Amino acid sequence: MDWVIAGGEALLNGRLARADVALSGGVLARDVPAGARRFDAAGLLVMPGLVDIHGDAHERQMQPRPGVGIPPAIAMRDSAAQLLACGITTALLGITLSWEPGLRGLHRRERRAPLGGCRSARPLPLRGRQPRRS
């Protein structure tokens, strides 16, 4: 699907300027494709996806408070949705092994949780339909 993101402050060539940004086939296009859908971005920033090279806020979704655990696959999907809502499209997430009790504590490492459940978590698709699960 083709789009034009119109009227926003776009980050182009290292600076913000009011501009329309065209997308064709999921990539930037020089010209607005015929029949492109229009998104009114007036008053908004139009930027490429942000990269978060250090994050541990996802731990809060896994264990919102001591003694309350959320299944890792569900917690990771919630974290992905929150990241995308903030414009972050790429994130490096880690879980610390620490002297602290709770999610980071040594007793969790010995039970191989929560990382074991994360292996089954799938990436949140950013385009199109959900992938079929086999």
Side-chain angles (χ1 to χ4, degrees):
M1 179 177 292
D2 297 332
W3 287 90
V4 59
I5 304 171
E9 292 288 320
L11 180 61
L12 299 170
N13 299 318
R15 64 180 189 65
L16 287 171
R18 186 168 179 184
D20 293 347
V21 176
L23 300 168
S24 181
V27 297
L28 291 174
R30 182 172 300 277
D31 300 310
V32 176
R37 293 185 71 177
R38 185 179 194 284
F39 179 84
D40 181 6
L44 301 175
L45 295 175
V46 181
M47 301 174 60
L50 302 174
V51 177
D52 181 353
I53 62 169
H54 172 90
D56 56 13
H58 64 285
E59 292 178 350
R60 184 164 293 150
Q61 281 77 34
M62 298 177 94
Q63 188 177 53
R65 59 187 155 277
V68 176
I70 304 296
I74 293 171
M76 295 305 289
R77 287 195 52 90
D78 186 55
S79 289
Q82 289 183 26
L83 290 166
L84 288 172
C86 294
I88 299 169
T89 58
T90 304
L92 176 64
L93 306 176
I95 295 178
T96 305
L97 179 60
S98 172
W99 55 268
E100 298 175 275
L103 186 65
R104 298 176 176 193
L106 286 173
H107 73 287
R108 298 289 279 196
R109 179 185 146 267
E110 291 164 3
R111 290 185 3 212
R112 296 192 175 273
L115 294 178
C118 290
R119 289 188 188 108
S120 64
R122 297 181 187 232
L124 183 67
L126 302 179
R127 290 188 234 178
R129 293 176 284 165
Q130 287 274 23
R132 287 195 162 161
R133 296 196 182 232
S134 47

